Amino acid sequence: MTLAPRVPECLYQVVDIIRIAGIKSFGHHGALPEEKRLGQRFTVSVDLEVDTRPAAATDDLNKTVDYAEVIRTVEGQLTGKPVYLIETLAQQIAARILATFPVTQAVTVEVTKPFAPVAAEFESISVKIRRERV
């Protein structure tokens, strides 16, 4: 039996994803006055693109992202200053994550608004964006 030759790490790109799904919090975001006044629950999921090899090799939390801190960051945006659009909210969350967690090379943020005031039957409305360092 022959083994495949080992490929040097420099010949491929590492894309590791840390996913935090279903962060729920209450906010007052929306275009309608009732949404701002009454508020509603939002759900956010984030995919953080992080090279996890340094943390895995040393078993060191300081070389990766602290999940609890990411969740607190997202909750801070959700409960913070109201915005009209979930597109704006997603952008603010992505920008804050990239600014706060330097090991994160890119982030995908999905903001879900389960109770959007639309005269139709639907499960939820969401916006999903991806932002990366340049």
Side-chain angles (χ1 to χ4, degrees):
M1 179 167 97
T2 59
L3 296 175
R6 187 176 177 325
V7 178
E9 288 185 12
C10 62
L11 296 181
Y12 60 90
Q13 181 178 1
V14 174
V15 179
D16 301 327
I17 296 175
I18 297 172
R19 179 163 181 72
I20 304 173
I23 303 165
K24 293 177 176 50
S25 197
F26 199 82
H28 293 269
H29 311 287
L32 299 178
E34 299 82 30
E35 293 178 290
K36 296 249 194 255
R37 185 170 49 81
L38 299 173
Q40 62 189 294
R41 181 169 293 282
F42 292 84
T43 303
V44 174
S45 294
V46 294
D47 290 343
L48 309 165
E49 295 180 28
V50 176
D51 182 354
T52 62
R53 292 174 300 173
T58 60
D59 201 28
D60 185 351
L61 177 60
N62 294 315
K63 295 182 179 178
T64 188
V65 294
D66 183 330
Y67 316 144
E69 287 298 320
V70 173
I71 292 169
R72 280 193 283 278
T73 299
V74 171
E75 289 174 335
Q77 291 298 130
L78 288 173
T79 60
K81 182 181 175 192
V83 297
Y84 286 103
L85 305 175
I86 58 175
E87 292 88 333
T88 305
L89 190 56
Q91 173 61 37
Q92 290 176 346
I93 292 168
R96 179 63 58 93
I97 286 172
L98 289 172
T100 306
F101 304 98
V103 297
T104 302
Q105 297 305 309
V107 62
T108 300
V109 176
E110 183 172 17
V111 176
T112 302
K113 189 175 185 177
F115 307 110
V118 176
E121 190 172 325
F122 63 94
E123 187 175 308
S124 65
I125 293 175
S126 67
V127 170
K128 188 175 193 177
I129 66 168
R130 182 180 180 278
R131 300 294 183 262
E132 64 181 90
R133 295 185 191 284
V134 288

